[in-house]
Amino acid sequence: MALKGGGKGSSVTANFVKYMSFTDGRDKVNRTVQYASRLILWYLDCYGGAQSTIQRIGSLEKALSTSRKLFRMARTLDFLQKVLDALNKKDDTEKTLEVLGYLFKASWLAIDHAMWFGKIQVVEIDTKLWGERSAWLWLAANSTLVARDMYQLQQVILHSKELKRAGDPVPGTHLQSQATRIKLQLTVDLCDVLIPLASLGYVGKGLGAAGGVVSSVVGGYLVWERKIKS
């Protein structure tokens, strides 16, 4: 006799399994745990905690950081492809910001890959020097993409106003969903700015870690919407 499914619970489980089958989905979950671990370490360092707990959480954070560096080895090519895709955009401002943002990201990851090979002693590299350069490139990438997000949001708002002036009292559903998606992406990119700022010493490590948690959760939601609900 065949067993019937468990309804909503089984559907959620099936969706989560499907979500974790995507590279982006797994990375967002791992990234959330990584930065949550970093935030907990900052808290324990500031307010005290058992040394054994600090060591366990520190080991978890390092393991996730190292594994994510390995798993995203091909992402540089992905960002270069996004540069090529952005060149086809008709809006020159959006095109320029997106091309620069993804070029910065590709350069940041290329250095990050080199540093990973240095850590496993395949090549010799000044990790402090190149780590700082990597952080600056990441900051430039995130800042440029924040500008892109704000520009896109401005264009959607202007388009919505044009529709109202043309006699449409309520903006189209497409514009509303587009504005929501851009706002969420803006949140991701703004929070990601805090991570390299923390690495460079301009903001506290706790704020950088908190930014990483928020951007990972919101970014994970965007992946869920794109991969599961679409």
Side-chain angles (χ1 to χ4, degrees):
M1 181 175 64
L3 294 175
K4 293 185 177 180
K8 187 175 180 180
S10 62
S11 176
V12 171
T13 302
N15 284 337
F16 181 73
V17 171
K18 182 180 178 182
Y19 180 80
M20 292 298 288
S21 71
F22 296 107
T23 302
D24 285 349
R26 290 194 301 272
D27 183 65
K28 288 295 183 280
V29 172
N30 290 334
R31 192 177 192 268
T32 301
V33 177
Q34 177 194 346
Y35 282 105
S37 300
R38 192 174 293 184
L39 182 60
I40 293 170
L41 283 173
W42 167 81
Y43 179 85
L44 293 177
D45 184 57
C46 290
Y47 300 102
Q51 192 62 34
S52 59
T53 302
I54 293 174
Q55 288 177 348
R56 284 196 295 271
I57 296 175
S59 296
L60 173 63
E61 194 277 333
K62 288 179 180 177
L64 287 169
S65 177
T66 302
S67 63
R68 287 188 63 242
K69 288 179 186 293
L70 175 62
F71 294 143
R72 67 188 182 200
M73 278 292 172
R75 287 299 300 277
T76 300
L77 297 177
D78 182 39
F79 287 134
L80 290 176
Q81 182 59 54
K82 288 184 177 181
V83 169
L84 296 176
D85 293 340
L87 290 173
N88 295 321
K89 289 183 177 291
K90 296 180 180 179
D91 189 304
D92 289 336
T93 301
E94 184 179 354
K95 179 196 299 184
T96 301
L97 291 171
E98 201 151 297
V99 166
L100 287 174
Y102 287 127
L103 277 176
F104 285 139
K105 276 205 169 186
S107 302
W108 155 64
L109 266 189
I111 293 176
D112 197 57
H113 299 338
M115 290 176 60
W116 184 82
F117 282 113
K119 286 183 179 180
I120 62 174
Q121 299 181 339
V122 173
V123 296
E124 290 187 9
I125 187 170
D126 186 336
T127 54
K128 183 178 180 180
L129 172 65
W130 286 100
E132 186 173 330
R133 290 176 178 176
S134 174
W136 277 113
L137 282 168
W138 195 10
L139 177 60
N142 292 334
S143 300
T144 306
L145 292 175
V146 164
R148 188 260 334 248
D149 299 335
M150 293 178 70
Y151 177 77
Q152 288 180 336
L153 186 59
Q154 179 192 46
Q155 294 306 299
V156 171
I157 292 173
L158 289 175
H159 190 190
S160 177
K161 288 182 178 179
E162 288 175 0
L163 288 177
K164 288 182 178 180
R165 282 197 295 268
D168 186 351
V170 182
T173 304
H174 173 69
L175 280 181
Q176 292 177 346
S177 61
Q178 189 178 3
T180 299
R181 181 190 60 77
I182 294 172
K183 288 175 183 178
L184 290 172
Q185 187 59 52
L186 176 59
T187 301
V188 170
D189 293 329
L190 273 172
C191 290
D192 273 345
V193 166
L194 297 173
I195 303 172
L197 282 177
S199 298
L200 293 166
Y202 289 104
V203 300
K205 292 182 178 179
L207 185 58
V213 172
V214 174
S215 69
S216 299
V217 171
V218 177
Y221 171 77
L222 287 172
V223 173
W224 181 278
E225 289 288 302
R226 187 171 68 252
K227 299 288 189 179
I228 306 300
K229 288 194 173 183
S230 62

